[in-house]
Amino acid sequence: MTTMRLQKLREEVLEANLELVRRGLVLYTFGNASGISRENGRIAIKPSGVPYENLKPEHIVLTDLEGRVVEGDLRPSSDLPTHVELYRHFPGIGGISHTHSEFATAWAQAALPIPCLGTTHADYFHGPVPVTPALTETEIADDYERNTGLAICRVVERLGPEEVPAVLVAGHAPFCWGPSSAEAAHHAVILEFVARMAYHTLLIKADAGPLAAELQTLPP
Amino acid sequence: MTTMRLQKLREEVLEANLELVRRGLVLYTFGNASGISRENGRIAIKPSGVPYENLKPEHIVLTDLEGRVVEGDLRPSSDLPTHVELYRHFPGIGGISHTHSEFATAWAQAALPIPCLGTTHADYFHGPVPVTPALTETEIADDYERNTGLAICRVVERLGPEEVPAVLVAGHAPFCWGPSSAEAAHHAVILEFVARMAYHTLLIKADAGPLAAELQTLPP
Amino acid sequence: MTTMRLQKLREEVLEANLELVRRGLVLYTFGNASGISRENGRIAIKPSGVPYENLKPEHIVLTDLEGRVVEGDLRPSSDLPTHVELYRHFPGIGGISHTHSEFATAWAQAALPIPCLGTTHADYFHGPVPVTPALTETEIADDYERNTGLAICRVVERLGPEEVPAVLVAGHAPFCWGPSSAEAAHHAVILEFVARMAYHTLLIKADAGPLAAELQTLPP
Amino acid sequence: MTTMRLQKLREEVLEANLELVRRGLVLYTFGNASGISRENGRIAIKPSGVPYENLKPEHIVLTDLEGRVVEGDLRPSSDLPTHVELYRHFPGIGGISHTHSEFATAWAQAALPIPCLGTTHADYFHGPVPVTPALTETEIADDYERNTGLAICRVVERLGPEEVPAVLVAGHAPFCWGPSSAEAAHHAVILEFVARMAYHTLLIKADAGPLAAELQTLPP
């Protein structure tokens, strides 16, 4: 039973990773998606450095909620500690995706939130997509990936993980999440799309105002 | 006879929806195209949330001119009330398309008309592509989709639906139309293309002037 | 002999038109390429409005050097009078291409020459790609296509058709040429590429200087 | 033994050239990759002007370390003298790639280094990607390709070829390198990606600061 459930989780996580590729969000082995089985206390995550075209369910690494590998011969993605912090802080999160997708990453590099300029954005993110503060020298030197996770968690605690299912890590790239790894990947795709459109909008009109508050909170 | 005519309408509407996909104007299930049989008093529109790759003629929903479903097991696109208003106000309109295509949506988010900067634009739109005013709080809260349709209609009444077969909805995205759903989809494709080129033109030269009035009104 | 030579010309012109499609320079039926047989006094040009995917050698229209149709059941491209003027003024031109390719058209809409900012550009165009002045009201009303050709010719007379095998028509789009229709299409592809890169360069650095004169005149 | 080793080198160099095509970095026959066998004193480089789709291992030209053709019926890429200078100055370089990829070339045309704005960039280039000074009139007239190589070498001598495996040649385009031709091509792909993202970042925020020094020097 557990075996079957974890096998299914691995397949879902594989599929979420492949969705990132199909939608043009990853270059080479960049990016990763994970999922969690809270019943089994297991996180399933993409291994590090395996080309997506060779990825099979058995390559997906299983860890416990501390990020210790439990099953799998491969090294988990180096971003695992960031995923772990998010899963530990927010019980509602069932899957996480991380990409260096072109426009969302540009906003992260600019260290600016993506403003909510239209209904496409509002239907998914209900307001600006926030950005973490820059990490301190100590946070970088100490444990960059874990401290990245903690920085994201501090931002999300203010907003709620359902309200804005994505955060930009300043100088790095976005992390997204959702009830499942499929929805985490879906949010990464939408995020890239609204990041492109916000970019174009502000190049058309530098002082484009945010969408009316009423539209930001419309039910989808 | 009626059955055959409505079956043909469904097939045409399906094909118009697929054209939006083929031309790269839609992400996931975004966007929709519809057509009308005025003889039969029927609107045919894409259902809500069905992936385009699975869409078949029998999924296309038929409604009356009030937007009440007459045939079809699926929910019509949530933008139906906007389509309905356009069909009711302008008897010459035979088809409508709505997308969140990247550059046309960016102009809509900037709440600026797309200026007519070249003959590519002028051959189809004969002047700037207008943008609606922002909806009021009451219009948003009351019936967003229907009030969006009314806002478009007020803009089109000034210009005539043949003169400019597209309007940008401020903070949302474009709507296009034509004598048939095929031509409505065709206008959506051209609109995205001229939206891209106007964007590039203004980034090259912020004060690029409009095309000479004589060229804006040249016969195609 | 004449028949074979003209048949070959039609095939070459078809192939040049298809190259514009393969390289992403055309939307729908936009654009056209032509070739000339000076021995036979014949111009071969794409017909108007035929989808590229259906285009066959027998659809290519043959005209005399006044632009009168000599063979072919279809209407020649409406830009034919522009092609005719170029062929008549410059005996060295063997083929012409015209597209509304995205970035070259944006420069034409901005009514600005494309500055020569790098060796990619210099290897083909040996200096800025010039732009025509805007046509007068009379020139537009009188015979827009022919007057467009004359405006291009006046620009090319200053520079020589081998020196800069492309001109932007202000508010419209580029025309390119070469010893054959294949080379005219090739120049349209390179022009679009250097138009993109000049655009990006100037957005990176608004006052990017032109390439050193020595490099603009280097042999390819 | 030598024959087998050189045959393998040719195959690797062919593969590196094809990777540039697959990743969208080349138009027509633009660009080239090479590799070196230091044991055999041989450089293997793409021939000039052969379409990539026809390229076979036997077309790859073998030269000595002075750039004199030793094996192969085709002319080596005209950029060979630039490659030769890099191989001679830096014994650790095993492969070199050169493209006119769109965004890296735009930075080269702007004659500006690509700033290090995010971890994607820092993981590969550990700081800004430098740009050569403009060549003098004499350097251009004398031996452009060789002097380009010397200009790159002077920049690399300050930084070390492992620290920043890429340099932009002002007014021209990037050169990249690595321990093998495969890694040189890989760096060209990453360079184009970070060039795009730096461009977008600075258009979002003109004064976007560089990434924290600690992150620029993080182990990959």
Side-chain angles (χ1 to χ4, degrees):
Chain A
M1 182 62 180
T2 294
T3 310
M4 276 181 63
R5 215 189 280 139
L6 291 176
Q7 177 60 16
K8 187 155 174 297
L9 179 66
R10 275 172 152 163
E11 286 166 10
E12 283 167 9
V13 166
L14 171 60
E15 180 57 24
N17 277 286
L18 296 180
E19 176 70 357
L20 302 179
V21 178
R22 280 192 298 262
R23 299 289 171 170
L25 302 195
V26 298
L27 181 64
Y28 293 119
T29 62
F30 293 5
N32 45 70
S34 71
I36 191 168
S37 166
R38 298 211 179 252
E39 304 88 325
N40 300 99
R42 291 292 176 263
I43 295 168
I45 191 166
K46 174 171 163 275
S48 182
V50 178
Y52 282 96
E53 56 269 34
N54 302 338
L55 217 53
K56 293 191 168 47
E58 59 267 29
H59 296 139
I60 301 298
V61 183
L62 292 181
T63 77
D64 64 18
L65 294 200
E66 313 287 323
R68 286 175 299 226
V69 174
V70 176
E71 263 191 74
D73 300 328
L74 298 163
R75 230 165 9 103
S77 165
S78 62
D79 295 296
L80 173 62
T82 313
H83 293 236
V84 165
E85 290 307 322
L86 274 157
Y87 284 125
R88 289 163 58 120
H89 280 69
F90 303 105
I93 292 183
I96 296 172
S97 67
H98 167 57
T99 80
H100 289 205
S101 71
E102 187 171 327
F103 282 81
T105 301
W107 283 97
Q109 294 189 161
L112 286 175
I114 305 176
C116 182
L117 301 172
T119 57
T120 324
H121 181 125
D123 287 349
Y124 291 87
F125 301 107
H126 317 106
V129 175
V131 63
T132 64
L135 268 60
T136 64
E137 278 185 45
T138 316
E139 287 173 322
I140 292 169
D142 181 25
D143 185 342
Y144 176 69
E145 282 77 17
R146 181 164 176 265
N147 287 325
T148 293
L150 293 172
I152 297 172
C153 290
R154 283 191 294 272
V155 171
V156 178
E157 265 151 21
R158 281 190 281 116
L159 299 159
E162 287 84 21
E163 186 66 11
V164 184
V167 162
L168 307 176
V169 176
H172 184 170
F175 281 80
C176 298
W177 50 86
S180 66
S181 55
E183 289 178 69
H186 185 65
H187 287 151
V189 177
I190 304 287
L191 179 67
E192 176 64 9
F193 188 55
V194 302
R196 292 178 80 96
M197 294 206 298
Y199 172 90
H200 300 320
T201 304
L202 292 174
L203 290 189
I204 290 170
K205 188 180 177 187
D207 61 344
L211 195 66
E214 294 75 27
L215 277 171
Q216 296 197 24
T217 53
L218 263 195
Chain B
M1 182 64 178
T2 293
T3 310
M4 277 182 60
R5 213 190 279 139
L6 291 176
Q7 177 59 17
K8 187 157 174 298
L9 180 66
R10 275 171 151 163
E11 286 166 10
E12 282 168 8
V13 166
L14 170 60
E15 180 57 25
N17 277 287
L18 295 181
E19 176 70 357
L20 301 179
V21 179
R22 280 192 298 262
R23 299 288 171 170
L25 302 195
V26 298
L27 182 64
Y28 292 119
T29 62
F30 292 6
N32 45 70
S34 71
I36 191 168
S37 166
R38 299 214 178 248
E39 304 89 325
N40 299 98
R42 289 294 176 263
I43 295 169
I45 191 165
K46 174 172 163 274
S48 181
V50 178
Y52 283 95
E53 57 269 34
N54 302 338
L55 217 53
K56 293 191 168 46
E58 59 266 29
H59 296 140
I60 301 298
V61 183
L62 291 180
T63 77
D64 63 20
L65 294 201
E66 312 287 322
R68 287 175 298 229
V69 174
V70 177
E71 264 190 71
D73 299 329
L74 299 164
R75 230 165 8 104
S77 164
S78 63
D79 295 296
L80 173 63
T82 313
H83 294 236
V84 165
E85 290 308 321
L86 274 157
Y87 284 126
R88 289 164 58 121
H89 280 69
F90 304 104
I93 292 183
I96 296 172
S97 67
H98 167 57
T99 79
H100 288 206
S101 71
E102 188 171 327
F103 282 82
T105 301
W107 283 97
Q109 293 189 163
L112 286 175
I114 306 176
C116 181
L117 300 173
T119 57
T120 323
H121 181 126
D123 287 349
Y124 291 87
F125 301 106
H126 316 106
V129 175
V131 63
T132 64
L135 268 60
T136 63
E137 278 185 45
T138 317
E139 287 172 323
I140 292 169
D142 180 27
D143 185 342
Y144 176 70
E145 281 77 18
R146 180 163 177 267
N147 287 325
T148 293
L150 294 172
I152 297 173
C153 291
R154 284 191 294 271
V155 172
V156 178
E157 265 151 19
R158 281 190 281 116
L159 299 160
E162 287 84 21
E163 187 65 11
V164 184
V167 161
L168 308 176
V169 176
H172 183 170
F175 282 81
C176 298
W177 50 85
S180 65
S181 55
E183 289 179 68
H186 185 64
H187 287 151
V189 177
I190 303 287
L191 179 67
E192 176 63 11
F193 188 54
V194 302
R196 292 178 80 97
M197 294 206 296
Y199 173 89
H200 300 319
T201 304
L202 292 174
L203 290 189
I204 290 171
K205 189 179 177 188
D207 61 345
L211 195 66
E214 294 75 26
L215 278 172
Q216 296 197 24
T217 52
L218 262 195
Chain C
M1 182 64 177
T2 294
T3 310
M4 276 182 61
R5 214 189 280 139
L6 291 176
Q7 178 59 18
K8 187 157 175 296
L9 180 66
R10 274 172 152 161
E11 285 166 11
E12 283 167 9
V13 167
L14 171 61
E15 180 57 25
N17 277 288
L18 296 181
E19 176 71 357
L20 301 179
V21 178
R22 279 192 299 260
R23 299 289 172 170
L25 302 195
V26 298
L27 182 65
Y28 292 120
T29 63
F30 292 6
N32 44 71
S34 71
I36 191 168
S37 166
R38 300 217 177 245
E39 304 88 326
N40 300 99
R42 290 293 176 265
I43 295 168
I45 191 164
K46 173 172 164 274
S48 181
V50 178
Y52 282 94
E53 55 270 33
N54 301 338
L55 217 53
K56 293 189 167 46
E58 59 266 30
H59 295 140
I60 301 297
V61 184
L62 291 180
T63 77
D64 63 20
L65 294 201
E66 312 288 322
R68 285 175 300 227
V69 174
V70 177
E71 265 190 73
D73 300 328
L74 299 164
R75 229 162 13 100
S77 164
S78 63
D79 295 296
L80 173 63
T82 313
H83 293 236
V84 165
E85 290 308 321
L86 274 157
Y87 284 126
R88 288 164 58 122
H89 279 70
F90 303 105
I93 293 182
I96 297 173
S97 67
H98 168 56
T99 79
H100 289 206
S101 70
E102 188 171 328
F103 282 82
T105 301
W107 283 97
Q109 293 189 162
L112 286 175
I114 305 175
C116 182
L117 301 173
T119 57
T120 324
H121 182 126
D123 288 349
Y124 291 87
F125 301 107
H126 317 107
V129 175
V131 62
T132 64
L135 267 60
T136 64
E137 278 184 45
T138 315
E139 286 173 323
I140 292 169
D142 180 27
D143 185 342
Y144 176 70
E145 282 77 18
R146 181 164 175 266
N147 287 325
T148 293
L150 293 172
I152 297 173
C153 290
R154 283 191 295 271
V155 172
V156 178
E157 264 151 22
R158 281 190 281 117
L159 300 160
E162 287 84 21
E163 187 65 11
V164 184
V167 161
L168 308 176
V169 177
H172 183 170
F175 282 80
C176 298
W177 49 85
S180 66
S181 55
E183 290 178 69
H186 185 63
H187 288 150
V189 177
I190 303 287
L191 179 67
E192 176 63 10
F193 189 54
V194 302
R196 293 178 80 96
M197 296 207 296
Y199 173 90
H200 299 320
T201 304
L202 292 174
L203 290 189
I204 290 170
K205 188 179 178 190
D207 61 345
L211 196 65
E214 294 76 26
L215 277 172
Q216 296 197 23
T217 53
L218 262 194
Chain D
M1 182 64 179
T2 295
T3 311
M4 277 181 61
R5 214 189 280 139
L6 291 176
Q7 178 59 17
K8 187 155 174 296
L9 180 66
R10 274 170 152 163
E11 285 166 10
E12 284 167 8
V13 166
L14 170 61
E15 181 56 25
N17 276 287
L18 296 180
E19 176 71 358
L20 301 179
V21 178
R22 280 192 298 261
R23 298 290 171 169
L25 302 195
V26 298
L27 182 64
Y28 293 120
T29 62
F30 292 5
N32 45 70
S34 71
I36 191 167
S37 166
R38 299 213 179 250
E39 303 88 325
N40 300 98
R42 291 292 177 263
I43 295 168
I45 192 165
K46 174 170 163 275
S48 181
V50 178
Y52 282 95
E53 55 270 34
N54 302 338
L55 218 52
K56 295 192 166 45
E58 59 266 30
H59 296 139
I60 301 298
V61 184
L62 292 180
T63 77
D64 63 18
L65 293 201
E66 312 287 321
R68 286 174 301 226
V69 175
V70 176
E71 264 190 73
D73 299 329
L74 299 164
R75 229 164 10 101
S77 164
S78 62
D79 295 296
L80 173 62
T82 312
H83 293 236
V84 165
E85 290 308 321
L86 274 158
Y87 284 126
R88 288 165 57 123
H89 280 69
F90 303 104
I93 293 182
I96 296 173
S97 67
H98 167 56
T99 79
H100 288 206
S101 70
E102 189 171 327
F103 282 82
T105 301
W107 283 97
Q109 293 190 161
L112 286 175
I114 306 175
C116 181
L117 300 173
T119 56
T120 324
H121 181 126
D123 287 348
Y124 291 87
F125 301 106
H126 316 107
V129 176
V131 62
T132 64
L135 267 61
T136 64
E137 278 186 44
T138 317
E139 287 173 324
I140 292 169
D142 181 28
D143 184 343
Y144 176 69
E145 281 77 16
R146 180 164 176 266
N147 287 325
T148 293
L150 293 172
I152 298 173
C153 290
R154 283 192 294 272
V155 172
V156 179
E157 264 151 21
R158 281 190 281 116
L159 299 160
E162 286 84 22
E163 187 66 12
V164 184
V167 162
L168 307 176
V169 177
H172 184 169
F175 282 80
C176 298
W177 50 85
S180 65
S181 55
E183 289 178 70
H186 185 64
H187 288 150
V189 177
I190 304 287
L191 179 67
E192 177 64 10
F193 188 55
V194 301
R196 293 178 80 96
M197 295 205 298
Y199 172 91
H200 300 320
T201 304
L202 292 174
L203 290 189
I204 290 170
K205 188 179 178 190
D207 61 345
L211 195 66
E214 294 75 27
L215 277 172
Q216 297 197 24
T217 53
L218 264 194

